[in-house]
Amino acid sequence: MAAVRLISTSTVHAANGRASSGRIELNTWDIQKLQIGYIQKGLLFPKPKLPLQYNSSGNMLIHHLKTSLSHTLHCFPLLAGRLATTQHEDDTISFFVDCNNAGVLFIHAAADGVTISDIIKPVYVPSIVHSFFSLNGLHNYKGITHPLLGIQITDLADGIFIGCSINHVVADGASFWHFLNSWSEISKGSIYFSKPPVFQRWFPDGMDIPIRIPQSCVNVEQNNEDFILPPVRERIFHFSKENITKLKAKANAEMGTDKISSLQALLSHIWRSAIHNRSFDPDQETNYRFVVGARQRFQEIPDNYFGNAILGTFVTMKAKELVEQGIGNSAWRMNRIIAATTGESFKKVFECWPASPSFVTLSNGEALITSSSPRFNMYGNDFGWGKPIAIRSGSSNKFDGVLTLYCGAEEGSIDIEACFFPETLEAMANDQEFMHIVTV
């Protein structure tokens, strides 16, 4: 498959001269993400059939997207800024975002001869998709010298891909899609956002601001530098609303309850198959790591809060228990962990973290981990020429065992991008119990 060809690189600034909106002190939820990579998600569209696509220079669409992005950044000044630090006299360091309108990276590229079918038809996600994103290979702490947001528009033979990379220190998944939803609204012609962002970070009452971390605990330049991306592949598994409903009913029936959600049942189904097909020792413990959102559990955090508002947690089971006991048991354990995660849980972790700082890091095959959510508005992103036909992600934060969740194009369906070693994916494809629920 042809390589991606660079057409142009530029910097887009917030419109109307909003060059400085002060600084935003980062909190615990933000700082924990310093050592991992940017969030990278993108939208695949058919080629726009609009007059602005076909002028003599052939770049009116790019001009339109740059202009609408600039207007969007006017209300998202944080994304046009840079990370910054303050060195304190007691050998501690604090982090903030300098909203200085340094601008975002904007790349126009082309994948000559590559079609939509070349992207969505193969069993495995083609590696060229990773080239549809900018700021590849950067850890979030590099936001001190690199843009916090990178946009890449890649022309295909019969389509267009809009790839977005956002520094995870300044945004979680909900905020990522909040920005894309807002940009698409402006691009389509809206004057106002349906969901204006709130950037002011939350801190517990009485907590010292900014949060100071011992300089010796940071050393971000030395962490994760030895992480080597393994030879993993990615495959999209599609689950229809009907099959998800069947899984939910099965899980609840096994446990004699009605509290297990559709997503918990589905994730349990995938967890069992992945562990079964990775040939784990029956007595080996296996972890499933996932995040719980604060916006739904913490009244101090509004729904339009733009930042990180998530707490990582996990379920642990022995491989033989997971495989032998059906999906209900593991789904129920997920349910109980989530139910026990309250606003007080978030607050306690938040308050204790500065005394013993720890950071989210990458790993290889030690556990399954879920990122993103099918609840995000992905297919509603209409930039003025129709809705996307597929969602794909970049190479950032990929390792053996990562499951990325997307809503499906059909209402109530879910797509899961499974990132595993090829032999695991092949074994899962031959697992009749697992594939019985997958919709081809």
Side-chain angles (χ1 to χ4, degrees):
M1 195 173 290
V4 170
R5 174 173 56 89
L6 178 66
I7 297 175
S8 66
T9 299
S10 57
T11 300
V12 176
H13 302 275
N16 302 325
R18 193 170 184 178
S20 179
S21 298
R23 56 191 280 167
I24 298 174
E25 299 290 347
L26 298 177
N27 64 18
T28 293
W29 298 330
D30 301 316
I31 301 170
Q32 287 178 325
K33 309 300 188 301
L34 280 170
Q35 296 179 11
I36 57 175
Y38 282 50
I39 302 175
Q40 294 183 317
K41 302 290 186 296
L43 306 168
L44 178 63
F45 297 89
K47 188 176 289 291
K49 296 179 180 179
L50 297 174
L52 55 81
Q53 172 74 7
Y54 304 105
N55 75 331
S56 58
S57 63
N59 62 10
M60 278 298 290
L61 177 61
I62 299 302
H63 174 74
H64 170 76
L65 289 173
K66 282 185 178 180
T67 302
S68 60
L69 174 61
S70 178
H71 287 295
T72 305
L73 292 172
H74 176 70
C75 293
F76 286 81
L78 172 146
L79 293 177
R82 296 290 185 271
L83 291 185
T85 61
T86 300
Q87 304 284 341
H88 302 280
E89 294 180 355
D90 57 353
D91 290 327
T92 60
I93 186 173
S94 58
F95 293 83
F96 65 96
V97 176
D98 183 2
C99 299
N100 58 6
N101 203 17
V104 308
L105 175 65
F106 191 99
I107 293 176
H108 181 203
D112 298 319
V114 178
T115 66
I116 289 174
S117 180
D118 292 332
I119 302 302
I120 64 176
K121 291 298 184 182
V123 172
Y124 299 119
V125 178
S127 58
I128 195 172
V129 170
H130 294 169
S131 301
F132 295 169
F133 294 88
S134 62
L135 303 175
N136 285 314
L138 289 183
H139 293 108
N140 294 312
Y141 60 79
K142 294 290 188 179
I144 293 175
T145 55
H146 290 76
L148 300 180
L149 169 63
I151 300 295
Q152 180 170 320
I153 311 300
T154 305
D155 297 331
L156 308 180
D158 56 352
I160 183 173
F161 191 91
I162 299 180
C164 180
S165 303
I166 292 183
N167 193 298
H168 208 331
V169 168
V170 300
D172 59 11
S175 296
F176 178 98
W177 289 104
H178 183 179
F179 162 73
L180 266 183
N181 297 160
S182 301
W183 180 21
S184 66
E185 285 180 341
I186 295 299
S187 177
K188 193 177 180 182
S190 295
I191 300 176
Y192 303 105
F193 295 133
S194 60
K195 189 178 175 182
V198 173
F199 297 107
Q200 188 62 44
R201 271 22 187 190
W202 177 82
F203 294 89
D205 292 338
M207 189 172 198
D208 291 336
I209 305 173
I211 294 177
R212 299 186 181 192
I213 302 172
Q215 181 73 51
S216 59
C217 293
V218 182
N219 290 327
V220 290
E221 292 287 349
Q222 300 176 15
N223 291 294
N224 272 340
E225 294 295 347
D226 57 349
F227 179 83
I228 300 175
L229 182 67
V232 292
R233 300 297 302 271
E234 299 145 69
R235 178 171 177 172
I236 307 292
F237 292 107
H238 178 70
F239 301 89
S240 67
K241 181 180 180 180
E242 178 183 6
N243 284 349
I244 295 171
T245 300
K246 291 178 181 177
L247 276 180
K248 178 182 178 181
K250 182 176 186 291
N252 278 293
E254 287 178 3
M255 301 307 296
T257 183
D258 60 358
K259 296 185 181 299
I260 295 173
S261 71
S262 297
L263 185 57
Q264 291 159 8
L266 178 58
L267 295 181
S268 177
H269 177 67
I270 296 173
W271 188 17
R272 289 184 70 241
S273 178
I275 297 306
H276 173 67
N277 289 294
R278 289 166 98 185
S279 301
F280 265 54
D281 183 308
D283 291 318
Q284 183 176 346
E285 288 192 337
T286 172
N287 294 331
Y288 195 118
R289 299 182 180 276
F290 51 91
V291 296
V292 181
R295 292 172 180 83
Q296 302 82 14
R297 295 167 176 81
F298 216 51
Q299 62 180 7
E300 291 91 341
I301 307 297
D303 183 58
N304 56 345
Y305 179 87
F306 195 94
N308 287 282
I310 52 178
L311 178 66
T313 187
F314 62 92
V315 177
T316 300
M317 293 182 67
K318 287 187 176 181
K320 64 182 179 182
E321 295 174 339
L322 177 63
V323 174
E324 295 172 0
Q325 295 181 4
I327 65 170
N329 187 26
S330 49
W332 180 245
R333 295 195 190 196
M334 290 183 191
N335 179 281
R336 292 299 85 198
I337 291 290
I338 294 171
T341 306
T342 63
E344 283 302 312
S345 304
F346 281 88
K347 187 176 181 181
K348 182 177 180 180
V349 171
F350 197 111
E351 292 175 333
C352 294
W353 187 83
S356 182
S358 61
F359 300 89
V360 179
T361 57
L362 302 182
S363 61
N364 264 326
E366 297 175 1
L368 264 66
I369 182 169
T370 291
S371 67
S372 190
S373 169
R375 297 184 178 92
F376 299 148
N377 177 15
M378 303 178 185
Y379 284 94
N381 287 287
D382 182 348
F383 284 79
W385 60 84
K387 296 182 179 181
I389 57 175
I391 317 296
R392 293 293 184 267
S393 65
S395 60
S396 182
N397 301 324
K398 291 290 175 64
F399 53 86
D400 181 39
V402 175
L403 301 175
T404 305
L405 310 184
Y406 307 117
C407 57
E410 308 88 19
E411 183 178 357
S413 66
I414 295 176
D415 290 338
I416 295 186
E417 178 191 84
C419 182
F420 290 112
F421 288 121
E423 54 268 29
T424 302
L425 288 173
E426 184 177 352
M428 291 175 69
N430 293 322
D431 182 345
Q432 294 185 4
E433 183 181 4
F434 172 70
M435 293 300 293
H436 177 68
I437 302 297
V438 176
T439 303
V440 178

